Short mmCIF file of all heavy atoms in Angstrom, two decimals:
data_model
loop_
_atom_site.label_atom_id
_atom_site.label_comp_id
_atom_site.label_asym_id
_atom_site.label_seq_id
_atom_site.Cartn_x
_atom_site.Cartn_y
_atom_site.Cartn_z
N ASP A 510 132.36 -159.21 149.11
CA ASP A 510 132.22 -159.65 147.72
C ASP A 510 133.58 -160.07 147.15
O ASP A 510 133.72 -161.14 146.55
CB ASP A 510 131.62 -158.52 146.88
CG ASP A 510 130.22 -158.15 147.37
OD1 ASP A 510 129.56 -159.03 147.97
OD2 ASP A 510 129.82 -156.99 147.18
N THR A 511 134.57 -159.24 147.34
CA THR A 511 135.89 -159.53 146.75
C THR A 511 136.81 -160.27 147.70
O THR A 511 137.91 -160.66 147.29
CB THR A 511 136.55 -158.21 146.36
OG1 THR A 511 136.69 -157.39 147.53
CG2 THR A 511 135.72 -157.48 145.32
N LYS A 512 136.38 -160.47 148.94
CA LYS A 512 137.20 -161.13 149.94
C LYS A 512 138.56 -160.43 150.07
O LYS A 512 139.61 -161.05 150.10
CB LYS A 512 137.41 -162.61 149.60
CG LYS A 512 136.14 -163.42 149.52
CD LYS A 512 135.42 -163.48 150.86
CE LYS A 512 134.16 -164.32 150.77
NZ LYS A 512 133.44 -164.39 152.07
N GLN A 513 138.48 -159.12 150.16
CA GLN A 513 139.69 -158.33 150.31
C GLN A 513 139.57 -157.47 151.57
O GLN A 513 138.48 -157.02 151.94
CB GLN A 513 139.92 -157.42 149.09
CG GLN A 513 140.28 -158.16 147.83
CD GLN A 513 140.51 -157.19 146.69
OE1 GLN A 513 140.26 -155.98 146.81
NE2 GLN A 513 140.97 -157.73 145.55
N VAL A 514 140.72 -157.24 152.16
CA VAL A 514 140.83 -156.34 153.31
C VAL A 514 141.74 -155.19 152.92
O VAL A 514 142.90 -155.42 152.50
CB VAL A 514 141.39 -157.07 154.56
CG1 VAL A 514 141.57 -156.07 155.70
CG2 VAL A 514 140.46 -158.19 154.98
N LYS A 515 141.18 -154.01 153.00
CA LYS A 515 141.97 -152.82 152.69
C LYS A 515 142.38 -152.16 154.01
O LYS A 515 141.54 -151.91 154.88
CB LYS A 515 141.18 -151.84 151.84
CG LYS A 515 140.90 -152.37 150.44
CD LYS A 515 140.21 -151.33 149.58
CE LYS A 515 139.97 -151.87 148.16
NZ LYS A 515 139.32 -150.85 147.32
N LEU A 516 143.67 -151.90 154.11
CA LEU A 516 144.24 -151.32 155.33
C LEU A 516 144.81 -149.95 154.99
O LEU A 516 145.66 -149.83 154.10
CB LEU A 516 145.35 -152.22 155.90
CG LEU A 516 146.07 -151.70 157.14
CD1 LEU A 516 145.10 -151.59 158.31
CD2 LEU A 516 147.23 -152.62 157.51
N LEU A 517 144.31 -148.92 155.72
CA LEU A 517 144.78 -147.56 155.51
C LEU A 517 145.73 -147.20 156.65
O LEU A 517 145.36 -147.28 157.82
CB LEU A 517 143.60 -146.58 155.47
CG LEU A 517 143.97 -145.11 155.25
CD1 LEU A 517 144.57 -144.90 153.86
CD2 LEU A 517 142.75 -144.20 155.45
N VAL A 518 146.93 -146.80 156.28
CA VAL A 518 147.98 -146.46 157.25
C VAL A 518 148.31 -144.99 157.08
O VAL A 518 148.73 -144.57 155.98
CB VAL A 518 149.23 -147.33 157.07
CG1 VAL A 518 150.24 -147.03 158.15
CG2 VAL A 518 148.86 -148.81 157.07
N LEU A 519 148.12 -144.20 158.15
CA LEU A 519 148.51 -142.79 158.14
C LEU A 519 149.90 -142.69 158.77
O LEU A 519 150.11 -143.09 159.92
CB LEU A 519 147.50 -141.96 158.92
CG LEU A 519 147.82 -140.47 159.09
CD1 LEU A 519 147.89 -139.76 157.73
CD2 LEU A 519 146.78 -139.79 159.98
N CYS A 520 150.85 -142.19 157.98
CA CYS A 520 152.25 -142.15 158.41
C CYS A 520 152.77 -140.73 158.39
O CYS A 520 152.26 -139.85 157.69
CB CYS A 520 153.12 -143.02 157.51
SG CYS A 520 152.59 -144.74 157.41
N ASP A 521 153.83 -140.57 159.17
CA ASP A 521 154.56 -139.32 159.20
C ASP A 521 155.84 -139.51 158.39
O ASP A 521 156.63 -140.42 158.66
CB ASP A 521 154.87 -138.93 160.64
CG ASP A 521 155.58 -137.60 160.74
OD1 ASP A 521 155.64 -136.89 159.71
OD2 ASP A 521 156.09 -137.27 161.83
N GLU A 522 156.07 -138.65 157.42
CA GLU A 522 157.23 -138.80 156.55
C GLU A 522 158.54 -138.64 157.30
O GLU A 522 159.54 -139.27 156.96
CB GLU A 522 157.17 -137.75 155.43
CG GLU A 522 156.28 -138.15 154.28
CD GLU A 522 156.36 -137.16 153.14
OE1 GLU A 522 156.42 -135.94 153.42
OE2 GLU A 522 156.39 -137.58 151.99
N GLN A 523 158.53 -137.81 158.34
CA GLN A 523 159.77 -137.56 159.06
C GLN A 523 160.17 -138.71 159.96
O GLN A 523 161.25 -138.71 160.54
CB GLN A 523 159.63 -136.28 159.90
CG GLN A 523 159.35 -135.06 159.04
CD GLN A 523 159.21 -133.80 159.87
OE1 GLN A 523 159.34 -133.85 161.09
NE2 GLN A 523 158.98 -132.68 159.22
N LYS A 524 159.30 -139.73 160.08
CA LYS A 524 159.57 -140.95 160.83
C LYS A 524 159.94 -140.66 162.28
O LYS A 524 160.89 -141.20 162.83
CB LYS A 524 160.69 -141.74 160.16
CG LYS A 524 160.34 -142.17 158.74
CD LYS A 524 161.41 -143.07 158.15
CE LYS A 524 161.02 -143.52 156.74
NZ LYS A 524 162.03 -144.40 156.15
N GLU A 525 159.18 -139.79 162.86
CA GLU A 525 159.36 -139.49 164.28
C GLU A 525 158.23 -140.16 165.03
O GLU A 525 157.05 -139.86 164.82
CB GLU A 525 159.34 -137.98 164.52
CG GLU A 525 160.50 -137.26 163.83
CD GLU A 525 160.43 -135.77 164.06
OE1 GLU A 525 159.47 -135.33 164.73
OE2 GLU A 525 161.33 -135.05 163.59
N SER A 526 158.62 -141.05 165.93
CA SER A 526 157.59 -141.82 166.62
C SER A 526 156.78 -140.96 167.57
O SER A 526 155.63 -141.25 167.85
CB SER A 526 158.26 -142.96 167.42
OG SER A 526 159.20 -142.43 168.34
N GLY A 527 157.36 -139.89 168.05
CA GLY A 527 156.61 -139.04 168.98
C GLY A 527 155.64 -138.11 168.29
O GLY A 527 154.77 -137.54 168.93
N HIS A 528 155.78 -137.95 166.99
CA HIS A 528 154.91 -137.03 166.27
C HIS A 528 153.59 -137.71 165.96
O HIS A 528 153.55 -138.86 165.55
CB HIS A 528 155.61 -136.60 164.97
CG HIS A 528 155.02 -135.37 164.36
ND1 HIS A 528 155.06 -134.15 164.98
CD2 HIS A 528 154.38 -135.19 163.18
CE1 HIS A 528 154.47 -133.26 164.20
NE2 HIS A 528 154.05 -133.86 163.10
N ARG A 529 152.51 -137.01 166.14
CA ARG A 529 151.18 -137.62 166.01
C ARG A 529 150.41 -137.10 164.82
O ARG A 529 149.19 -137.13 164.82
CB ARG A 529 150.37 -137.37 167.30
CG ARG A 529 151.04 -137.86 168.56
CD ARG A 529 151.37 -139.34 168.51
NE ARG A 529 150.22 -140.16 168.33
CZ ARG A 529 150.25 -141.46 168.11
NH1 ARG A 529 151.41 -142.08 168.01
NH2 ARG A 529 149.13 -142.15 167.97
N GLU A 530 151.06 -136.58 163.81
CA GLU A 530 150.39 -136.13 162.60
C GLU A 530 151.16 -136.63 161.39
O GLU A 530 152.39 -136.77 161.45
CB GLU A 530 150.31 -134.59 162.56
CG GLU A 530 149.34 -134.01 163.57
CD GLU A 530 149.19 -132.51 163.43
OE1 GLU A 530 150.11 -131.88 162.87
OE2 GLU A 530 148.17 -131.99 163.86
N GLY A 531 150.42 -136.90 160.32
CA GLY A 531 151.08 -137.41 159.13
C GLY A 531 150.41 -136.91 157.87
O GLY A 531 149.24 -136.52 157.86
N THR A 532 151.16 -136.95 156.80
CA THR A 532 150.66 -136.51 155.50
C THR A 532 150.64 -137.63 154.47
O THR A 532 150.10 -137.45 153.38
CB THR A 532 151.54 -135.36 154.96
OG1 THR A 532 152.90 -135.81 154.87
CG2 THR A 532 151.46 -134.15 155.89
N VAL A 533 151.22 -138.80 154.79
CA VAL A 533 151.30 -139.91 153.85
C VAL A 533 150.25 -140.94 154.22
O VAL A 533 150.18 -141.39 155.37
CB VAL A 533 152.71 -140.53 153.86
CG1 VAL A 533 152.76 -141.73 152.92
CG2 VAL A 533 153.75 -139.50 153.45
N LEU A 534 149.42 -141.30 153.26
CA LEU A 534 148.39 -142.33 153.44
C LEU A 534 148.76 -143.52 152.57
O LEU A 534 148.88 -143.38 151.34
CB LEU A 534 147.02 -141.79 153.05
CG LEU A 534 146.43 -140.71 153.97
CD1 LEU A 534 145.24 -140.05 153.30
CD2 LEU A 534 146.04 -141.31 155.30
N THR A 535 148.96 -144.66 153.19
CA THR A 535 149.31 -145.88 152.47
C THR A 535 148.12 -146.83 152.52
O THR A 535 147.64 -147.17 153.61
CB THR A 535 150.54 -146.53 153.09
OG1 THR A 535 151.62 -145.60 153.08
CG2 THR A 535 150.94 -147.77 152.31
N LEU A 536 147.65 -147.25 151.36
CA LEU A 536 146.52 -148.17 151.26
C LEU A 536 147.05 -149.55 150.86
O LEU A 536 147.59 -149.72 149.77
CB LEU A 536 145.50 -147.66 150.23
CG LEU A 536 144.22 -148.49 150.10
CD1 LEU A 536 143.43 -148.47 151.41
CD2 LEU A 536 143.35 -147.95 148.96
N LEU A 537 146.91 -150.49 151.78
CA LEU A 537 147.36 -151.86 151.55
C LEU A 537 146.15 -152.73 151.26
O LEU A 537 145.18 -152.72 152.03
CB LEU A 537 148.12 -152.38 152.77
CG LEU A 537 149.34 -151.57 153.22
CD1 LEU A 537 149.91 -152.16 154.49
CD2 LEU A 537 150.39 -151.53 152.13
N THR A 538 146.23 -153.50 150.20
CA THR A 538 145.15 -154.43 149.82
C THR A 538 145.60 -155.84 150.13
O THR A 538 146.62 -156.31 149.61
CB THR A 538 144.80 -154.29 148.34
OG1 THR A 538 144.44 -152.94 148.07
CG2 THR A 538 143.63 -155.20 147.99
N LEU A 539 144.84 -156.53 150.99
CA LEU A 539 145.19 -157.87 151.45
C LEU A 539 144.14 -158.84 150.93
O LEU A 539 142.93 -158.67 151.19
CB LEU A 539 145.24 -157.93 152.98
CG LEU A 539 146.11 -156.87 153.68
CD1 LEU A 539 145.93 -156.98 155.18
CD2 LEU A 539 147.56 -157.04 153.30
N HIS A 540 144.57 -159.86 150.18
CA HIS A 540 143.68 -160.88 149.69
C HIS A 540 143.60 -161.99 150.72
O HIS A 540 144.61 -162.61 151.08
CB HIS A 540 144.17 -161.43 148.34
CG HIS A 540 144.18 -160.39 147.26
ND1 HIS A 540 143.05 -160.04 146.54
CD2 HIS A 540 145.18 -159.59 146.80
CE1 HIS A 540 143.35 -159.10 145.66
NE2 HIS A 540 144.65 -158.81 145.78
N VAL A 541 142.40 -162.21 151.20
CA VAL A 541 142.21 -163.14 152.30
C VAL A 541 142.61 -164.55 151.90
O VAL A 541 143.31 -165.26 152.64
CB VAL A 541 140.76 -163.09 152.80
CG1 VAL A 541 140.53 -164.11 153.90
CG2 VAL A 541 140.42 -161.69 153.26
N GLN A 542 142.21 -164.99 150.72
CA GLN A 542 142.48 -166.37 150.31
C GLN A 542 143.97 -166.60 150.12
O GLN A 542 144.49 -167.67 150.45
CB GLN A 542 141.71 -166.68 149.02
CG GLN A 542 140.20 -166.70 149.20
CD GLN A 542 139.47 -167.00 147.91
OE1 GLN A 542 140.09 -167.12 146.85
NE2 GLN A 542 138.14 -167.14 148.00
N GLU A 543 144.67 -165.62 149.58
CA GLU A 543 146.10 -165.79 149.36
C GLU A 543 146.86 -165.84 150.69
O GLU A 543 147.83 -166.58 150.84
CB GLU A 543 146.64 -164.64 148.50
CG GLU A 543 146.10 -164.65 147.08
CD GLU A 543 146.66 -163.51 146.26
OE1 GLU A 543 147.48 -162.73 146.84
OE2 GLU A 543 146.29 -163.37 145.09
N LEU A 544 146.39 -165.05 151.64
CA LEU A 544 147.09 -164.99 152.92
C LEU A 544 146.75 -166.17 153.81
O LEU A 544 147.60 -166.65 154.57
CB LEU A 544 146.78 -163.67 153.64
CG LEU A 544 147.40 -162.42 153.02
CD1 LEU A 544 146.83 -161.18 153.68
CD2 LEU A 544 148.92 -162.45 153.17
N THR A 545 145.52 -166.61 153.76
CA THR A 545 145.11 -167.71 154.64
C THR A 545 145.21 -169.06 153.97
O THR A 545 144.92 -170.08 154.60
CB THR A 545 143.66 -167.48 155.10
OG1 THR A 545 142.80 -167.39 153.95
CG2 THR A 545 143.56 -166.22 155.92
N GLY A 546 145.58 -169.09 152.69
CA GLY A 546 145.68 -170.36 151.98
C GLY A 546 146.94 -171.12 152.35
O GLY A 546 147.69 -170.79 153.27
N ALA A 547 147.20 -172.18 151.54
CA ALA A 547 148.33 -173.06 151.83
C ALA A 547 149.63 -172.50 151.29
O ALA A 547 150.70 -173.01 151.63
CB ALA A 547 148.09 -174.46 151.24
N GLY A 548 149.58 -171.47 150.47
CA GLY A 548 150.79 -170.93 149.88
C GLY A 548 151.62 -170.15 150.89
O GLY A 548 151.18 -169.80 151.98
N VAL A 549 152.86 -169.86 150.47
CA VAL A 549 153.78 -169.10 151.30
C VAL A 549 153.57 -167.62 151.00
O VAL A 549 153.66 -167.20 149.83
CB VAL A 549 155.24 -169.51 151.05
CG1 VAL A 549 156.17 -168.67 151.88
CG2 VAL A 549 155.43 -171.00 151.32
N CYS A 550 153.29 -166.86 152.00
CA CYS A 550 153.01 -165.43 151.81
C CYS A 550 154.10 -164.54 152.36
O CYS A 550 154.01 -163.31 152.25
CB CYS A 550 151.68 -165.06 152.45
SG CYS A 550 151.61 -165.40 154.22
N ALA A 551 155.13 -165.10 152.98
CA ALA A 551 156.19 -164.28 153.58
C ALA A 551 157.52 -164.97 153.34
O ALA A 551 157.60 -166.19 153.14
CB ALA A 551 155.96 -164.08 155.08
N ASP A 552 158.61 -164.19 153.33
CA ASP A 552 159.94 -164.75 153.18
C ASP A 552 160.38 -165.41 154.48
O ASP A 552 159.68 -165.32 155.49
CB ASP A 552 160.92 -163.65 152.73
CG ASP A 552 160.98 -162.53 153.76
OD1 ASP A 552 160.39 -162.67 154.85
OD2 ASP A 552 161.62 -161.50 153.48
#
Side-chain angles (χ1 to χ4, degrees):
D510 299 334
T511 59
K512 300 296 181 180
Q513 291 181 352
V514 176
K515 292 185 179 181
L516 178 64
L517 180 66
V518 185
L519 176 62
C520 304
D521 182 11
E522 278 186 319
Q523 299 180 0
K524 299 186 179 180
E525 297 179 358
S526 58
H528 197 65
R529 304 303 300 172
E530 289 185 338
T532 58
V533 177
L534 291 167
T535 303
L536 184 63
L537 303 176
T538 303
L539 308 174
H540 296 278
V541 177
Q542 293 180 355
E543 294 180 0
L544 289 170
T545 58
V549 178
C550 59
D552 60 7

